[in-house]
């Protein structure tokens, strides 16, 4: 069993592993909240053009006071096909004749309209402020909102690739701590961004560290867990993601101002950075990277925390070298990631796992990042997505133990696909049925993610595991999704 034997001599799944796992799971909860955060900080509230006759507080009393607000709105803003005020156009001049139905019915000419040259008036009943209202990301500028989301997801894609290499070279702990600091600075400074360009740049840097944080936490949990607890560890990881979604829904409901919500979920990163100093480096990574003395030191520390007496006598360099002989010999070859593609079996596994994660991401992020298009109560949807994912994660553990990794992924991906296909045929007016299908799709896709991560971990050797974990956090589709989706 190699390293697994050393873990058992160090106390197995003891107090050390539990304490480290609790810290990493708390980190996962916080990091996960930042992925769908723009569902709230970049929500698009109801809006219409600013109209002088309605919205100028300093206007003098010129007789318009005898008309109601709805009447003044009717003569200032044209109606759309749903008989609601247009969001992006206004009449060039007030159309007083529209107040008299008989006269307006005789007028067959279309009144002249113009864009919202004086800005917009926003409905602040749900969201008092968002980045959309701050920088007027509506109408002709609405695509810029997708640019911000794209840059965050693209940062996640690049960060996974680059930090995957750096973590395998410099260690999980060092890169994890660096990403805590980077996320803390970038996400906190977002609040003080003076322009939308600066905001996008900071969100890119925040996304750059997000996948590295998630994957590093997974790697440390896996590599410090005995074999029979690894699947449970992955289940707890996805449960932490669900808890993050639930907490985010609650926080967004409590803090409606976007900059307040951004600070509430970002400042704790500084606490995590300062607290992460006690985390232990992966002993397995240290050993296979020709640092057996440091790996032995970490194992003895774990044994001491687990209450194993005389760990210095049982965990010696001779025991370590004899137990890890094959892995140490493999590490001497200093393989590169390209060596994975020279082996037909591993090459097949890489292609299949990449395709599977791409397919799961289409479902998972397509729902997670577009809650506002599913219904008016975005807070409820966010909480529902988190709640349904919790039993889904436990179901994934049972399925993996009884059906296997590959079979579990197949079943849950099929169920996800069926839910989303049915959702496309349900009219938008049937909001209850839409909510049920979207929630089921989210739950089954989250279950598929749990099975996929556990499967990926067991397929690839330690020296490449972190790269594959980062790449299995496939962000290719989420990166292009903001430009692919259809805006309402």
């Amino acid at each position: 069993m190699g390293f697994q034997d050393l873990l058992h001599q160090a106390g197995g799944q003891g107090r050390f592993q539990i304490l480290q796992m609790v810290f990493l799971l708390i980190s996962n909860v916080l990091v996960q909240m930042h992925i769908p955060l723009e569902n709230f900080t970049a929500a698009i509230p109801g809006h219409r053009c600013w109209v002088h006759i309605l919205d100028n507080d300093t206007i003098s009393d010129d007789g318009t006071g005898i008309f109601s607000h709805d009447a003044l709105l009717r003569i200032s803003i044209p109606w759309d096909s749903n008989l609601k005020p247009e969001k992006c156009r206004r009449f060039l001049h007030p159309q007083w004749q529209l107040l008299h139905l008989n006269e307006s019915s005789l007028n067959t000419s279309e009144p002249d309209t113009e864009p919202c040259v004086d800005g917009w008036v926003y409905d602040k009943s749900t969201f008092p402020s968002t980045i959309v209202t701050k920088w007027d990301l509506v109408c002709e500028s609405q695509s810029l909102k997708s640019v911000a989301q794209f840059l965050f997801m693209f940062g996640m894609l690049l960060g996974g690739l680059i930090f995957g290499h750096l973590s395998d070279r410099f260690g999980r702990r060092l890169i994890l701590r660096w990403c805590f600091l980077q996320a803390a600075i970038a996400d906190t400074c977002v609040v003080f961004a003076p322009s939308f360009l600066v905001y996008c740049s900071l969100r890119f840097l925040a996304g750059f560290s997000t996948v590295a944080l998630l994957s590093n936490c997974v790697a440390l949990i896996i590599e410090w867990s005995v074999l029979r607890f690894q699947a449970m560890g992955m289940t707890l990881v996805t449960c932490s993601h669900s808890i993050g979604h639930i907490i985010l829904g609650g926080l967004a409901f409590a803090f409606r101002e976007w900059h307040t919500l951004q600070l509430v979920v970002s400042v704790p990163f500084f606490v995590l950075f300062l607290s992460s100093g006690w985390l232990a480096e992966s002993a397995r990574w240290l050993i296979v990277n020709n640092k057996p003395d440091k790996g032995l030191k970490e194992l003895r520390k774990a044994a001491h925390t687990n209450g194993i007496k005389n760990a210095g006598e049982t965990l010696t360099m001779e025991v370590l070298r004899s137990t890890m002989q094959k892995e140490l010999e493999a590490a001497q070859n200093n393989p590169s990631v390209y060596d994975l593609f020279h082996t037909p079996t591993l090459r097949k596994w890489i292609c299949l796992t990449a395709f599977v994660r791409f397919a799961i991401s289409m479902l998972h992020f397509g729902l997670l990042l577009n809650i506002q298009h599913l219904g008016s109560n975005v807070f409820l949807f966010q909480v529902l997505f988190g709640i349904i994912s919790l039993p889904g994660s436990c179901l994934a553990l049972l399925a993996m133990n009884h059906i296997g990794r590959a079979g579990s992924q197949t079943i849950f991906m099929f169920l996800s696909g069926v839910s989303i296909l049915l959702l496309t045929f349900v009219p938008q007016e049937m909001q209850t049925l839409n909510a049920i299908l979207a929630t089921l799709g989210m739950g089954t896709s989250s279950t598929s993610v749990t099975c996929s991560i556990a499967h990926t971990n067991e397929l690839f050797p330690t020296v490449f595991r972190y790269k594959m974990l980062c790449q299995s956090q496939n962000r290719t589709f989420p990166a292009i999704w903001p430009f692919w989706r259809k805006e309402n």
Side-chain angles (χ1 to χ4, degrees), residues 7-22:
L7 276 182
H8 283 292
Q9 292 182 45
Q13 201 76 9
R15 185 191 308 164
F16 172 84
Q17 281 81 1
I18 293 174
L19 290 175
Q20 180 138 312
M21 186 181 294
V22 167

Side-chain angles (χ1 to χ4, degrees), residues 173-374:
R173 180 178 177 273
L174 177 64
I175 300 302
L176 180 69
R177 297 201 69 203
W178 168 260
C179 290
F180 275 139
L181 182 60
Q182 179 175 322
I185 295 174
D187 277 319
T188 302
C189 290
V190 157
V191 177
F192 308 103
S195 66
F196 183 66
L197 178 61
V198 175
Y199 171 87
C200 289
S201 302
L202 291 170
R203 285 292 287 169
F204 172 79
L205 291 176
F208 204 81
S209 61
T210 299
V211 170
L213 288 171
L214 293 172
S215 300
N216 250 313
C217 290
V218 170
L220 285 173
I221 289 173
I222 290 173
E223 294 175 3
W224 274 112
S225 296
V226 296
L227 190 60
R228 65 192 182 96
F229 283 103
Q230 287 182 1
M232 181 178 290
M234 290 303 93
T235 302
L236 291 175
V237 166
T238 52
C239 284
S240 69
H241 296 173
S242 303
I243 293 171
H245 294 161
I246 295 172
I247 294 176
L248 176 62
L251 290 176
F253 183 80
F255 302 101
R256 303 293 182 92
E257 300 276 352
W258 79 271
H259 51 272
T260 305
L261 177 61
Q262 183 78 39
L263 283 175
V264 166
V265 299
S266 300
V267 171
F269 274 131
F270 287 104
V271 179
L272 292 177
F273 167 71
L274 296 174
S275 305
S276 61
W278 69 272
L279 281 175
E281 179 59 274
S282 167
R284 185 168 193 162
W285 177 86
L286 290 168
I287 294 170
V288 300
N289 281 273
N290 300 315
K291 299 177 181 179
D293 51 339
K294 293 183 179 179
L296 184 62
K297 182 180 178 180
E298 296 292 355
L299 283 169
R300 288 174 175 172
K301 184 193 300 184
H304 176 74
T305 305
N306 289 337
I308 302 299
K309 298 180 179 179
N310 302 322
E313 299 177 3
T314 57
L315 289 171
T316 63
M317 187 60 68
E318 291 74 18
V319 172
L320 186 149
R321 291 189 181 278
S322 62
T323 306
M324 299 283 294
Q325 182 178 358
K326 291 184 179 180
E327 294 191 39
L328 287 172
E329 290 175 355
Q332 296 297 325
N333 299 326
N334 193 22
S336 68
V337 71
Y338 301 105
D339 293 331
L340 286 172
F341 294 92
H342 295 160
T343 306
T345 302
L346 286 178
R347 184 167 61 242
K348 180 183 71 174
W349 289 347
I350 291 170
C351 294
L352 289 176
T353 53
F355 176 76
V356 168
R357 284 311 301 271
F358 183 84
I360 295 173
S361 297
M362 291 177 65
L363 296 171
H364 190 76
F365 288 97
L367 290 170
L368 185 63
L369 301 180
N370 293 278
I371 291 179
Q372 197 171 13
H373 299 309
L374 298 175

Side-chain angles (χ1 to χ4, degrees), residues 103-150:
E103 295 180 17
S104 62
S105 62
L106 298 175
N107 187 5
T108 58
S109 61
E110 288 289 335
D112 293 331
T113 61
E114 64 178 353
C116 302
V117 294
D118 294 318
W120 290 263
V121 175
Y122 295 97
D123 178 8
K124 297 183 178 182
S125 58
T126 303
F127 295 102
S129 70
T130 67
I131 66 166
V132 171
T133 62
K134 181 174 183 178
W135 288 298
D136 290 329
L137 306 181
V138 292
C139 299
E140 294 84 358
S141 301
Q142 187 165 336
S143 60
L144 294 178
K145 174 180 177 292
S146 296
V147 171
Q149 194 174 64
F150 164 78

